[in-house]
Amino acid sequence: MNTELSAVSDKRMDITCSACGHKFSYKVDDLVLATSDDTTTHEVRQRAVCRGCGVRGNNIYVIT
Ligand SMILES: [Zn+2]
């Protein structure tokens, strides 16, 4: 899935770290503020750093 944040700005992005299983989530609205509305969920996934183990980009995500 490769969705622009602007298309799902009323939703949340729930991310699960593949390395340690830590779960975290963002309001897509907040991601738009931190990036831009043409950033894609895939780009956010690649940039996301796990707060549990510090691994970057090794995760799965769902838009809910
Ligand atoms: Zn982790």
Side-chain angles (χ1 to χ4, degrees):
M1 187 164 69
N2 201 16
T3 307
E4 290 191 359
L5 296 181
S6 57
V8 290
S9 61
D10 60 339
K11 298 185 185 298
R12 303 186 63 88
M13 185 168 175
D14 292 338
I15 301 174
T16 303
C17 177
S18 297
C20 74
H22 181 70
K23 292 180 166 58
F24 50 112
S25 78
Y26 299 111
K27 286 170 64 179
V28 173
D29 215 21
D30 290 340
L31 293 172
V32 170
L33 292 176
T35 59
S36 65
D37 59 6
D38 64 350
T39 300
T40 63
T41 53
H42 182 65
E43 289 173 320
V44 172
R45 174 197 169 279
Q46 289 180 307
R47 290 180 200 170
V49 177
C50 174
R51 294 187 191 116
C53 69
V55 161
R56 178 191 294 265
N58 184 7
N59 58 62
I60 56 173
Y61 72 90
V62 290
I63 302 298
T64 59

